[in-house]
Amino acid sequence: MFRTRVADNLLGEDFETREKRRHRRHKVRLAASLHPIDVYQDVVINDASRSGLMGESDIEVEVGQTLFVSLDELTFVSGTVRWTKGRQFGLDLDDPLNLPGLAPETDHGSEIGHKPRADRVKLDLPARVHFEQSTRPVTIRDLSRHGMAMEAGEGLLKGQQVLVRIRDRPLIPGRIQWNGGGRIGISSNAEVPLLQLLYSDD
């Protein structure tokens, strides 16, 4: 976590100076999307493949809605609700789900009208879901292995949890450590894949 020793609204320059002492920061200009996390809901995953899952919960979801799912609150995958039936819903994932036992095989089925899909594994796993509400475009101005500073506009709060999507890379979860002048600094929960982001052509 980033350590702060001044008022809540820190200047970006102070943050960058402190961080250079801990982790090398790389100046960049990367377009990204920021997903503030307001509320989590508990769900149970009934079955899953690497590309989709079926969940069950008391919450009401709608077809076409974007959800962010986490099994450990450290890593997240996003997906789109494709169907609902009572307390159950089906989610097509944007990111591959990495769970032990999930294989890349395809289930071709034996029934008439069955559409091929990734092989499903029966599960009974508790998970947490965040509903997309106020995604905003941002510009990342510098990166380190454990955080980033970005131009994000006003209205975000120190201490707020967020998810950051850079290009088509996996979501990066983190927490806002400072804000001021339309900029924020984020401490990431997992190591940022610097080499992939700095030297990728896409």
Side-chain angles (χ1 to χ4, degrees):
M1 300 289 288
F2 296 154
R3 298 179 182 274
T4 57
R5 292 178 293 177
V6 291
D8 286 355
N9 289 333
L10 296 174
L11 295 177
E13 290 78 6
D14 292 340
F15 172 79
E16 292 166 3
T17 300
R18 286 197 309 278
E19 281 303 295
K20 284 177 181 177
R21 301 190 192 112
R22 301 188 60 196
H23 303 294
R24 181 185 175 190
R25 300 191 71 82
H26 302 266
K27 295 292 184 182
V28 297
R29 187 179 178 86
L30 294 174
S33 58
L34 184 75
H35 310 276
I37 296 176
D38 300 317
V39 178
Y40 284 114
Q41 299 285 351
D42 294 325
V43 301
V44 174
I45 297 176
N46 299 133
D47 70 40
S49 70
R50 285 177 56 81
S51 59
L53 60 84
M54 181 176 75
E56 185 173 350
S57 177
D58 292 327
I59 60 177
E60 183 177 342
V61 300
E62 299 178 354
V63 172
Q65 188 172 13
T66 298
L67 304 181
F68 299 93
V69 183
S70 178
L71 297 173
D72 56 11
E73 298 186 41
L74 294 176
T75 56
F76 288 80
V77 292
S78 63
T80 303
V81 177
R82 291 306 181 197
W83 59 265
T84 65
K85 184 178 181 181
R87 299 178 68 247
Q88 294 182 325
F89 61 89
L91 199 67
D92 280 352
L93 299 176
D94 302 318
D95 313 289
L97 186 62
N98 293 313
L99 279 177
L102 296 186
E105 287 85 3
T106 298
D107 174 16
H108 293 281
S110 57
E111 298 181 5
I112 297 175
H114 177 86
K115 294 182 179 180
R117 68 177 185 179
D119 195 23
R120 297 260 170 160
V121 176
K122 294 294 183 183
L123 301 167
D124 186 20
L125 287 177
R128 305 195 84 185
V129 166
H130 163 63
F131 294 82
E132 181 179 53
Q133 295 179 344
S134 54
T135 299
R136 63 172 70 189
V138 297
T139 301
I140 299 172
R141 301 311 301 261
D142 62 51
L143 281 169
S144 77
R145 289 191 299 115
H146 294 286
M148 61 192 74
M150 63 180 64
E151 298 169 356
E154 304 294 340
L156 298 167
L157 303 176
K158 179 182 176 182
Q160 188 171 12
Q161 295 185 63
V162 295
L163 300 171
V164 182
R165 171 82 75 181
I166 306 174
R167 303 192 185 103
D168 59 350
R169 305 299 179 184
L171 290 160
I172 301 173
R175 184 182 299 272
I176 298 176
Q177 295 300 307
W178 59 266
N179 62 2
R183 301 183 71 190
I184 61 173
I186 293 175
S187 169
S188 59
N189 298 344
E191 187 165 314
V192 177
L194 281 178
L195 291 179
Q196 296 179 26
L197 296 174
L198 294 174
Y199 300 107
S200 173
D201 292 330
D202 56 42

